Amino acid sequence: MPKLKNQQDILKLREAGRLAALTLRHVEPHVLPGASTEDINRLVHDFIVAHGAYPSPLNYKGFPKSVCTSVNEVICHGIPSSEQILKEGDIINVDVTVTLDGYFGDTSKTFFVGGPETISDERLKVTEVSAEGLARALAVVKHGARLGDIGHAIQSYAESQGVSVVRDFVGHGIGRVFHEEPAVAHYGKAGTGEKIVRGMVFTIEPMINFGDWRSKMLKDGWTAVTPDGKPSAQFEHQLAVVGEGIEILTALPDDAIALRAKELGAHILWPSGF
């Protein structure tokens, strides 16, 4: 059963989520052609540590770096390397998790390397669909809804756009534990699954492939890639179910996905700024 969070937990998770969001904001200007994914790892590590927190991926089940960097056909859990140099036209998901005062904040964003005009149609499509899919999912979360409503919102939209939803990796409950119940699938049937109730805190993080929805694991045991070499993109937010709506713990006030979710009818509560 999911561990429901109390007001004190939400306050602590709010602080961790904000730091995770600020970390992504700190990294964004440095996602440039010629940068290595190790450069991004160093930026993330130093920023988190300077703010009195710990980069949660580091040594988590043996993961060797402080952030996941997933470029182009990498679905998730890409390992930063000084040998991986970003090129104009790449897309890269930067997946940040912080541990602050014992609580976790988890968020990710897919960035364009170079201007949007340099990005191929396939890479542009998966990036746009992942962002919109997350916004549509946020719009259906409230006390009394079902987890299947989240998956349905993402899957129905993605498939209407001719792309696919990864099934091998899901969103998850989070609090003082990095990954806990509930598992939040990004595909499914509306009106099914566990009931969403106040006090739940979880991530939604749709991974969208341009081709086959399946994944293939590389020999490093972490990096998941598309089996056909087609691009994949992901966005992630962490939210708390509170009152009659949600608080998006990893959204800064100008967050485009949160603003889009509000347009779609999401009831987003203070202090997210909406």
Side-chain angles (χ1 to χ4, degrees), residues 1 8 51 77 84 100 146 180 188 201 236 254 269:
M1 293 293 292
Q8 183 61 33
H51 286 79
H77 304 154
Q84 186 173 39
L100 180 64
R146 299 278 180 174
E180 60 185 26
V201 176
E236 175 183 10
D254 60 349
L269 303 175

Side-chain angles (χ1 to χ4, degrees), residues 57-133:
L58 185 60
N59 299 319
Y60 177 74
K61 297 185 177 180
F63 190 79
K65 298 291 183 176
S66 297
V67 68
C68 298
T69 52
S70 302
V71 180
N72 297 334
E73 76 280 2
V74 178
I75 296 171
C76 61
H77 304 154
I79 300 173
S81 168
S82 59
E83 298 178 358
Q84 186 173 39
I85 307 300
L86 299 178
K87 303 182 299 297
E88 189 171 69
D90 285 341
I91 57 173
I92 176 173
N93 177 267
V94 180
D95 190 346
V96 167
T97 311
V98 309
T99 311
L100 180 64
D101 293 335
Y103 288 83
F104 288 85
D106 191 5
T107 188
S108 83
K109 180 176 180 178
T110 296
F111 298 98
F112 297 146
V113 183
E117 70 281 357
T118 71
I119 309 300
S120 71
D121 290 344
E122 290 185 356
R123 293 173 181 174
L124 190 64
K125 170 70 82 171
V126 291
T127 303
E128 290 178 342
V129 171
S130 180
E132 176 70 10

Side-chain angles (χ1 to χ4, degrees), residues 29 36 40 62 76 147 155 157 165 170 174 183 221 230 274:
S36 72
I40 294 172
C76 61
L147 289 178
Q155 183 182 15
Y157 176 70
V165 179
V170 298
I174 188 169
K230 297 289 187 181
F274 304 100

Side-chain angles (χ1 to χ4, degrees), residues 118-240:
T118 71
I119 309 300
S120 71
D121 290 344
E122 290 185 356
R123 293 173 181 174
L124 190 64
K125 170 70 82 171
V126 291
T127 303
E128 290 178 342
V129 171
S130 180
E132 176 70 10
L134 177 52
R136 289 176 180 236
L138 292 167
V140 302
V141 180
K142 61 182 179 180
H143 178 80
R146 299 278 180 174
L147 289 178
D149 299 339
I150 294 172
H152 176 75
I154 296 166
Q155 183 182 15
S156 61
Y157 176 70
E159 293 180 354
S160 78
Q161 299 301 304
V163 294
S164 64
V165 179
V166 173
R167 290 158 170 71
D168 297 330
F169 302 94
V170 298
H172 54 90
I174 188 169
R176 295 181 68 91
V177 177
F178 195 164
H179 297 93
E180 60 185 26
E181 293 296 323
V184 182
H186 304 118
Y187 61 95
K189 183 177 179 182
T192 66
E194 186 172 348
K195 182 179 285 188
I196 297 169
V197 298
R198 295 181 188 94
M200 279 186 174
V201 176
F202 53 83
T203 70
I204 306 175
E205 44 190 292
M207 287 151 266
I208 303 297
N209 291 354
F210 191 83
D212 195 317
W213 62 262
R214 289 171 291 189
S215 64
K216 180 174 69 174
M217 189 68 66
L218 297 188
K219 292 180 180 178
D220 61 25
W222 284 102
T223 307
V225 301
T226 59
D228 50 16
K230 297 289 187 181
S232 183
Q234 178 190 16
F235 289 82
E236 175 183 10
H237 270 315
Q238 176 177 325
L239 62 96

